[in-house]
């Protein structure tokens, strides 16, 4: 009888170990992030195939802020796309980033910023943004995709922090065009915010009419 129990226990332990081995890679993958590095225009990497530049203006404070985001798929996805299905997760480290414009070559598609990490005096703090369309943006190939001005305030309360992603393309246009001229290749500028903005198309139409 003792031998029968021993055999049964060995089988249960073996089955549990097999299940753990099968589940562990997925669990590890779910927590892993692909790093995206933001650089100033003079240090930005050149584009590869199926990539466009992400352009954002930063005004962030705090000891070690960061952004987590997911690639939902190709550009033009419907607003109700399920964020939880995405398995391509990225992280942008914002530590020691001074105020100004930053770029990164990014694969084309639609992205959702899901989490803003804003630790404060060693205490972790996370802002969940995965269900808010205003935190979504798109990247098109061989283009300069302005996604907005990202603000993270230094002052914060115990359970809240002032963080915003605001489309300022009209007021920032002159500065963006100067930056655009510093890129190694001539690329079109487009608004990549997660909601419709006709400013650039209206400006282009007015410019053509005036010529």
């Amino acid at each position: 009888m003792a031998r029968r129990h021993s055999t049964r226990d060995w089988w249960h332990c073996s089955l549990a170990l097999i299940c753990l081995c099968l589940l562990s890679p997925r669990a590890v993958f779910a927590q892993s992030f692909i790093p995206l590095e933001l650089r100033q225009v003079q240090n930005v990497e050149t584009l590869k195939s199926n990539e466009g530049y992400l352009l954002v203006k930063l005004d962030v404070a705090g000891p070690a802020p960061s952004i987590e985001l997911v690639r939902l798929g190709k550009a033009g996805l419907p607003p109700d796309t399920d964020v939880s299905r995405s398995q391509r997760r990225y992280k942008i480290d914002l530590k020691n980033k001074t105020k100004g414009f930053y770029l990164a070559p990014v694969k084309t598609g639609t992205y959702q910023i899901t989490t803003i990490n804003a630790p404060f005096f060693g205490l972790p703090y996370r802002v969940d943004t995965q269900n808010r369309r205003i935190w979504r943006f798109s990247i098109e190939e061989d283009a300069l995709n302005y996604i907005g001005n990202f603000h993270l305030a230094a002052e914060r309360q115990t359970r809240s922090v002032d963080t915003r992603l605001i489309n300022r393309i009209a007021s920032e246009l002159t500065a963006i065009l100067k930056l655009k001229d510093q890129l190694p290749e001539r690329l079109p500028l487009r608004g990549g915010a997660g909601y419709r903005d006709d400013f650039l198309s209206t400006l282009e139409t007015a410019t053509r009419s005036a010529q």
Side-chain angles (χ1 to χ4, degrees):
M1 179 65 76
R3 183 172 181 176
R4 183 180 299 174
H5 282 298
S6 177
T7 303
R8 185 186 302 168
D9 292 342
W10 176 86
W11 169 250
H12 287 165
C13 290
S14 299
L15 183 60
L17 182 60
I18 292 172
C19 291
L20 182 62
C21 290
L22 290 174
L23 292 175
S24 293
R26 178 174 291 186
V28 172
F29 181 79
Q31 298 300 320
S32 64
F33 293 93
I34 302 170
L36 281 181
E37 184 179 1
L38 294 178
R39 297 183 179 183
Q40 294 178 322
V41 63
Q42 63 270 24
N43 298 318
V44 72
E45 298 178 354
T46 56
L47 293 176
K48 299 176 183 177
S49 177
N50 200 33
E51 287 186 341
Y53 282 122
L54 177 156
L55 173 64
V56 62
K57 186 175 184 180
L58 298 180
D59 183 8
V60 299
S66 63
I67 296 173
E68 297 173 15
L69 58 150
V70 296
R71 183 178 183 272
L72 301 177
K74 63 182 180 180
L77 291 177
D80 58 350
T81 301
D82 187 359
V83 173
S84 64
R85 286 190 165 190
S86 175
Q87 293 186 341
R88 295 188 65 85
R89 300 178 180 273
Y90 300 83
K91 191 169 187 177
I92 301 176
D93 183 6
L94 302 178
K95 185 177 181 179
N96 298 325
K97 295 294 186 187
T98 57
K99 185 175 181 180
F101 286 102
Y102 290 83
L103 302 94
V106 177
K107 183 178 179 180
T108 60
T110 300
Y111 293 78
Q112 176 74 40
I113 296 175
T114 58
T115 307
I116 310 297
N117 296 303
F120 186 71
F121 289 112
L123 299 175
Y125 186 81
R126 298 161 64 89
V127 181
D128 183 357
T129 59
Q130 67 176 349
N131 295 317
R132 300 175 61 186
R133 185 170 174 79
I134 195 172
W135 291 93
R136 183 172 296 188
F137 63 90
S138 63
I139 300 294
E140 289 190 0
E141 186 176 10
D142 294 332
L144 184 60
N145 303 271
Y146 168 75
I147 69 167
N149 289 18
F150 177 68
H151 172 78
L152 180 62
E155 300 80 12
R156 54 158 293 180
Q157 299 177 355
T158 305
R159 296 184 178 274
S160 65
V161 61
D162 180 13
T163 179
R164 290 167 283 164
L165 183 65
I166 309 173
N167 186 352
R168 298 288 194 203
I169 196 165
S171 59
E172 300 283 7
L173 184 61
T174 300
I176 292 174
L177 292 178
K178 288 182 179 179
L179 178 148
K180 180 173 172 286
D181 290 339
Q182 298 178 57
L183 291 172
E185 48 191 324
R186 297 179 63 86
L187 299 174
L189 171 65
R190 65 175 293 271
Y195 50 89
R196 181 172 175 175
D197 183 355
D198 295 327
F199 173 76
L200 283 179
S201 58
T202 302
L203 179 63
E204 291 173 358
T205 301
T207 302
R208 287 195 297 268
S209 300
Q211 291 176 348

